[in-house]
Amino acid sequence: MAHKPEVFLKGKYKIFFGLNNEFRICYNDTRPLTDNYWQSVNPVVKLVPTFMLQLTIIILFSRVLMLFLRPLRQPRFVAEILAGIVLGPSALGDISWVSNNITPFETVLCMETLANLGVTFYMFLVGLEMDLTPIRRIGKTALSIAIAGIILPMSAGAGLYYLVWEKQKQRAPFIGAFFWAIALSVTSFPDLARMLSDLKLMYTDLGKTALTAAAVCDVSSWFLLVGTISLINAHEKLHVAIPVILSMTAFWFMMRPLIAWLMKQAAASKETSTEGKYSDTHVCLILSGVVFCGYITELCGAHSIFGAFMFGLMIPSGELGTTIMDKIEEYVVGILLPPTFLVTGSRTNLLYMFADFPLGVALLVILLACSAKIVSTLLVCLYFKCPKRDSLALGVLMNAKGVLVLIVLNEGRNMKGFDQQTFSWIVSALLIMTIIICPIVSFTHKSARHLKQYYHRNLEKSKDAPLRFLVCVYSTRNLSGLINLLQISNATRRSPITVFAVHLVELTGRATAMLIFHDKQKEADVGKNATREKAEAEQIVSAFESFENNNHAATVQPLTAVSPYDTMHQDVSNFALDKHANIILIPFHKQPSADGGWTDENLQHKQVNQNLLASAPCTIGLLVDRGLTSSVCAESQNGWRECGIAMLFVEGPDDREALAYAWRMVGTPGLNLTVVRFLPGKDVYDMSENAPEDDESGIFTAMFEREKEKQFDDDYVNEFRFRTMHDKSVAYIEKQVNSGDQIVSIVTSDYNNFDLYIVGRGHGTISPLTSGLSNWSDFPELGPLGETLVSTDFESPTSVLVVQQSAPPPSGSKRFRSSAPSTGIFGNSMQSAVDTFVNHRRSDDDY
């Protein structure tokens, strides 16, 4: 076991009692004086170059470590705290040259002062970004997790500190137990939000529960920290907390109305301007308010971070908050905050972690500190009978630590509540807590084994079960077609539908993605001062609420998803998984023009659509809307106007899925469905028989797969015909064709007067009937038949819905299913009898 250093030399420094609360450092420093007794060497000029060098090195080290840790899915906080530890006495700081020239002791006060300024502005950004609205509607599970996540970790922190306090009471008073307790109860809200965004769990129920509980933990921990610091500074006299409480109350009830008045004046002055409402002057006033609020709380005996945090909470979300975040966030996080990590690293010495205690005791303390919050969350989740994987993931996520906990620890160190050894223990524990989050959550919620059970949530297998739609809307121009498509989806009390209407917005000017759930009970707030984005979001919400009011068997949950375009498809897919959606509806990336052509092509929306088609965990439908709103489900004086829908069936799982969706529409008032099935003609069979013999094994494999898929098609089509044979609104037609050109010719000549065409995308299957159509492709996301229909010149432009079954699961399974789809009342043993029955009912081409 190592022994604590009593006195040692490090370059020009002589250090006494290196592990204790108080260091005595002796060094020679020549300060020549002039005749008027002023120093001839300005100390600021001497310290500033050293500080600039330190800042440069800590930022460089952080960036390099981020590059190495990013593939391991570690957050930025881990890289930054490790950079501080590397530059501290645990590694490079133990080298005399480094301690003399890069991290000299005389720059400590300068570094700590700038670190305090950095954390003050950082806490302002935390308050600005934190939304307390979910706390008002917090559920029992989230509230119970938050309460247990405060009580049990605080008890564990105080108990663990007391466990080692007897042996080190000369170096660290018992007040350190309070800071250990608060540090273990903190869940860093901003860092947790960034982790959930990186893990693509922000939009899930797990993510919402974790964020809500984290907000409660953070607010409660800050109140506890304010009380602790105030009592310690006033030697445990309760009345000293009164000025802090009064200042916080004054901030909330006096400055908050003032900010609201300034925002109103700014909105009035920019009423007719196309530019933003808030100028640099407004931003400077807000930043000055941060410093002023921090100064007031310092005078009251608390830290400046509390005033800054409260000031951030007082600023309402909207354009002002976004403008401030855009202008200062990167500067605060990238420049002002790194000194905090350097100060923390200089106070952490991993070399002497086991100097006074056996290795087992120290490791036990660290392990129990790491597990306190996990155990408390698991107990609550077990009580509410949550799934085990969600319970474990939630417990680990609630252990997320960040800059907030460093502030708590450094305050405890400043008040001599820790010695260097116990400070190093708790820093090591919080590092371990944060490092294990992404690997464990990725294993529980991102592994292929977990995702397999959620894939293939298809309409073909849903039958008459309630449907869950995830409808993606890029702008208000997508509304009419998608809503009318939902209206003809035949929502009934027996088979209701649930619609998650997601307004997809590009992430700009924020560090993390976010999800906004709109309160349907709240009156829409769209006025002349509303931003364009907010007005568009409210218009989308209003349209879907109107759809819900007119359809009593439909339930709508409107929300806005803010995410980068590059990863937007992952957010949509994860939300579909979490909500067990059966189908995702997305709009085409082009808008129709008045002359029947196309306009306003959005390549970013096109990329999102293609990414979704490649990775969607359920059925996905891509709607090409060319006037669906004016022709479908129009109610006239004589009743419902008839509208025609054609489903063009070729072969394969996508076509079966398209037929399943068309089948669900049957029963909608005024809707007539015509299913046209194209069967291979004699020439197609002749081409297969006359194929070259050099690849005989490949031919037999393709023939086997085609026959298997044909059997699946026959089973499903026959079930559809059997169940709809008495329905006069359904017609079934079969046509024999030998090429894709014949399909186009038949559709344009005989079936060119429908309001909507539904086709399968045919992704992953090679059909001889459509092979000629796929030689050229401008829109591969539509499939060969869908793209042909969109480009075909009908008498009037028609809408097309392209349907694709779920993409293969992450394990890499092949597109061809190894098991037959659900065939309902038909089994293989009954197939010949059914064929006989159907053939008897068929007259030539029409049924």
Side-chain angles (χ1 to χ4, degrees):
M1 182 175 65
H3 296 284
K4 64 178 182 179
E6 295 292 341
V7 180
F8 64 92
L9 298 174
K10 182 181 289 187
K12 64 179 181 179
Y13 304 108
K14 188 174 183 180
I15 304 176
F16 298 86
F17 305 108
L19 281 178
N20 291 356
N21 275 325
E22 298 181 1
F23 290 80
R24 229 172 0 144
I25 304 170
C26 300
Y27 61 92
N28 294 323
D29 188 15
T30 304
R31 297 186 179 183
L33 301 176
T34 59
D35 294 338
N36 58 3
Y37 301 103
W38 289 99
Q39 297 183 27
S40 60
V41 178
N42 191 336
V44 176
V45 175
K46 182 179 179 181
L47 296 179
V48 168
T50 305
F51 167 73
M52 295 172 67
L53 176 63
Q54 292 172 341
L55 187 60
T56 302
I57 293 176
I58 186 67
I59 294 175
L60 178 63
F61 273 43
S62 300
R63 295 295 176 176
V64 171
L65 287 173
M66 285 170 61
L67 293 176
F68 284 101
L69 294 177
R70 185 171 298 166
L72 302 178
R73 309 194 69 171
Q74 292 301 318
R76 177 175 180 169
F77 168 75
V78 174
E80 290 173 325
I81 190 62
L82 285 177
I85 291 175
V86 169
L87 289 174
S90 301
L92 298 180
D94 196 46
I95 302 174
S96 298
W97 186 87
V98 174
S99 62
N100 290 333
N101 298 279
I102 297 179
T103 57
F105 284 102
E106 50 264 42
T107 62
V108 169
L109 291 178
C110 177
M111 182 65 65
E112 290 182 356
T113 302
L114 292 168
N116 284 333
L117 180 64
V119 297
T120 298
F121 277 99
Y122 178 78
M123 285 309 304
F124 164 71
L125 294 180
V126 171
L128 186 65
E129 194 173 12
M130 183 176 290
D131 183 12
L132 298 181
T133 304
I135 298 180
R136 303 172 189 171
R137 302 189 300 268
I138 188 172
K140 288 193 295 185
T141 303
L143 181 60
S144 301
I145 290 172
I147 294 175
I150 295 173
I151 296 176
L152 187 58
M154 288 188 67
S155 302
L160 291 174
Y161 192 87
Y162 181 77
L163 180 67
V164 298
W165 178 65
E166 288 294 334
K167 192 169 183 179
Q168 50 148 14
K169 63 173 64 175
Q170 298 297 327
R171 301 200 307 259
F174 191 66
I175 60 172
F178 296 98
F179 292 98
W180 263 35
I182 297 172
L184 294 186
S185 66
V186 169
T187 299
S188 179
F189 180 88
D191 293 277
L192 176 61
R194 292 180 180 88
M195 290 181 189
L196 290 172
S197 178
D198 294 338
L199 291 167
K200 298 304 173 186
L201 295 174
M202 177 75 77
Y203 303 159
T204 64
D205 290 337
L206 175 69
K208 289 187 293 180
T209 302
L211 282 178
T212 305
V216 175
C217 288
D218 267 4
V219 174
S220 303
S221 299
W222 284 123
F223 279 112
L224 292 172
L225 187 59
V226 169
T228 301
I229 293 177
S230 300
L231 292 177
I232 294 175
N233 284 336
H235 306 290
E236 303 180 1
K237 296 179 181 178
L238 291 175
H239 67 272
V240 298
I242 295 177
V244 179
I245 297 174
L246 291 178
S247 64
M248 297 288 186
T249 305
F251 290 163
W252 190 260
F253 289 101
M254 295 178 62
M255 295 190 67
R256 195 161 173 257
L258 178 62
I259 295 173
W261 180 81
L262 288 174
M263 293 175 64
K264 187 176 181 180
Q265 294 298 315
S269 63
K270 293 284 184 176
E271 188 175 298
T272 59
S273 176
T274 58
E275 300 178 358
K277 295 183 291 187
Y278 304 104
S279 63
D280 292 341
T281 303
H282 297 100
V283 176
C284 290
L285 285 174
I286 295 297
L287 297 182
S288 301
V290 176
V291 179
F292 174 75
C293 291
Y295 172 70
I296 295 298
T297 49
E298 283 280 1
L299 289 181
C300 295
H303 198 287
S304 59
I305 57 177
F306 303 114
F309 177 72
M310 287 293 296
F311 190 69
L313 283 178
M314 288 187 292
I315 299 178
S317 60
E319 185 179 343
L320 178 59
T322 303
T323 303
I324 296 172
M325 295 284 289
D326 290 344
K327 288 182 178 295
I328 71 168
E329 183 180 23
E330 283 303 320
Y331 176 73
V332 171
V333 176
I335 302 297
L336 292 183
L337 204 55
T340 304
F341 299 104
L342 188 56
V343 170
T344 303
S346 66
R347 294 174 169 181
T348 305
N349 194 338
L350 303 181
L351 300 177
Y352 298 107
M353 284 182 60
F354 315 113
D356 285 346
F357 293 89
L359 176 64
V361 173
L363 293 180
L364 179 63
V365 171
I366 295 174
L367 178 62
L368 293 177
C370 294
S371 59
K373 200 124 185 172
I374 299 177
V375 172
S376 65
T377 305
L378 283 174
L379 292 176
V380 173
C381 291
L382 289 176
Y383 176 78
F384 285 101
K385 298 181 180 179
C386 300
K388 294 180 180 178
R389 65 178 188 89
D390 288 344
S391 303
L392 177 60
L394 191 57
V396 174
L397 287 170
M398 292 303 294
N399 238 349
K401 305 298 180 184
V403 178
L404 307 182
V405 77
L406 292 185
I407 297 172
V408 176
L409 295 179
N410 281 300
E411 279 302 301
R413 181 66 171 151
N414 292 338
M415 295 184 173
K416 304 178 184 178
F418 305 139
D419 62 1
Q420 192 179 44
Q421 193 171 23
T422 52
F423 186 86
S424 302
W425 286 1
I426 195 66
V427 169
S428 302
L430 70 91
L431 260 180
I432 295 173
M433 295 177 195
T434 309
I435 289 173
I436 65 175
I437 292 176
C438 288
I440 292 180
V441 177
S442 297
F443 175 77
T444 57
H445 282 71
K446 296 295 181 180
S447 63
R449 182 182 63 181
H450 158 62
L451 294 181
K452 281 181 183 178
Q453 59 181 321
Y454 291 102
Y455 272 74
H456 309 312
R457 295 185 58 84
N458 300 324
L459 304 180
E460 182 184 350
K461 300 179 181 180
S462 299
K463 299 300 179 186
D464 296 328
L467 281 187
R468 299 172 71 84
F469 288 84
L470 179 59
V471 182
C472 300
V473 182
Y474 293 113
S475 68
T476 53
R477 291 179 295 182
N478 308 139
L479 278 175
S480 58
L482 290 171
I483 290 181
N484 277 280
L485 184 61
L486 292 173
Q487 286 179 343
I488 60 176
S489 297
N490 195 25
T492 62
R493 295 189 182 277
R494 179 184 175 187
S495 180
I497 66 174
T498 302
V499 179
F500 298 96
V502 185
H503 179 206
L504 300 177
V505 180
E506 182 186 11
L507 174 65
T508 56
R510 294 183 65 91
T512 58
M514 63 177 179
L515 186 70
I516 305 170
F517 285 83
H518 299 281
D519 187 359
K520 293 185 290 185
Q521 303 300 324
K522 184 178 179 180
E523 192 70 24
D525 181 21
V526 182
K528 61 182 181 180
N529 295 330
T531 62
R532 183 183 64 83
E533 293 81 3
K534 183 178 180 181
E536 187 172 46
E538 294 292 350
Q539 187 174 350
I540 292 172
V541 171
S542 177
F544 278 100
E545 288 179 358
S546 177
F547 163 75
E548 182 182 23
N549 295 332
N550 296 329
N551 295 268
H552 299 295
T555 303
V556 176
Q557 171 62 70
L559 56 148
T560 299
V562 185
S563 180
Y565 279 130
D566 292 340
T567 60
M568 190 174 285
H569 65 285
Q570 298 177 15
D571 295 322
V572 173
S573 296
N574 280 291
F575 191 70
L577 279 173
D578 187 69
K579 295 302 179 183
H580 303 289
N582 301 95
I583 181 171
I584 301 173
L585 296 180
I586 55 177
F588 193 49
H589 68 278
K590 282 191 173 185
Q591 296 294 327
S593 59
D595 58 357
W598 299 102
T599 184
D600 295 338
E601 180 177 13
N602 193 312
L603 296 179
Q604 292 174 316
H605 294 172
K606 178 180 180 180
Q607 188 62 44
V608 173
N609 289 347
Q610 291 179 342
N611 291 338
L612 271 174
L613 288 166
S615 61
C618 60
T619 298
I620 187 166
L622 194 157
L623 177 63
V624 183
D625 178 25
R626 304 179 76 174
L628 189 61
T629 178
S630 60
S631 59
V632 178
C633 290
E635 189 175 7
S636 63
Q637 295 179 353
N638 299 325
W640 289 91
R641 174 189 172 184
E642 291 188 358
C643 58
I645 296 179
M647 191 276 136
L648 308 182
F649 191 102
V650 180
E651 65 175 339
D654 290 350
D655 286 59
R656 294 196 299 270
E657 197 69 5
L659 177 59
Y661 191 16
W663 191 355
R664 293 296 295 245
M665 296 178 178
V666 175
T668 302
L671 184 143
N672 293 319
L673 172 65
T674 300
V675 178
V676 183
R677 184 180 185 186
F678 297 100
L679 298 174
K682 184 176 180 298
D683 293 343
V684 176
Y685 288 116
D686 291 342
M687 286 187 294
S688 300
E689 294 174 357
N690 297 329
E693 299 181 359
D694 54 351
D695 189 15
E696 188 173 349
S697 61
I699 293 175
F700 283 123
T701 301
M703 291 178 60
F704 173 77
E705 294 290 351
R706 190 172 294 115
E707 287 298 322
K708 184 172 65 174
E709 287 296 316
K710 185 178 182 302
Q711 184 66 43
F712 295 162
D713 294 343
D714 291 342
D715 290 344
Y716 197 72
V717 169
N718 287 334
E719 182 184 1
F720 165 76
R721 296 175 64 186
F722 183 82
R723 291 196 176 190
T724 59
M725 62 182 178
H726 299 299
D727 194 332
K728 295 181 180 180
S729 66
V730 179
Y732 176 81
I733 303 169
E734 288 185 353
K735 294 288 185 179
Q736 285 193 349
V737 294
N738 296 308
S739 65
D741 293 336
Q742 289 187 14
I743 294 178
V744 176
S745 177
I746 292 173
V747 172
T748 54
S749 60
D750 300 335
Y751 308 103
N752 59 0
N753 59 345
F754 289 92
D755 300 303
L756 174 67
Y757 290 86
I758 302 177
V759 298
R761 186 188 178 204
H763 179 62
T765 59
I766 300 176
S767 173
L769 299 183
T770 59
S771 58
L773 301 177
S774 58
N775 293 335
W776 56 270
S777 179
D778 291 332
F779 310 124
E781 62 269 26
L782 298 178
L785 188 54
E787 184 173 2
T788 303
L789 289 173
V790 170
S791 60
T792 301
D793 294 328
F794 290 104
E795 294 181 1
S796 60
T798 186
S799 301
V800 179
L801 177 65
V802 181
V803 181
Q804 175 190 293
Q805 271 197 3
S806 61
S811 58
S813 62
K814 296 181 180 179
R815 178 65 186 171
F816 290 109
R817 277 40 166 185
S818 59
S819 60
S822 174
T823 54
I825 61 173
F826 292 103
N828 293 331
S829 61
M830 298 182 61
Q831 185 58 46
S832 58
V834 172
D835 287 339
T836 302
F837 171 79
V838 172
N839 291 332
H840 178 71
R841 295 284 300 176
R842 185 189 307 151
S843 60
D844 297 333
D845 287 336
D846 257 299
Y847 169 64

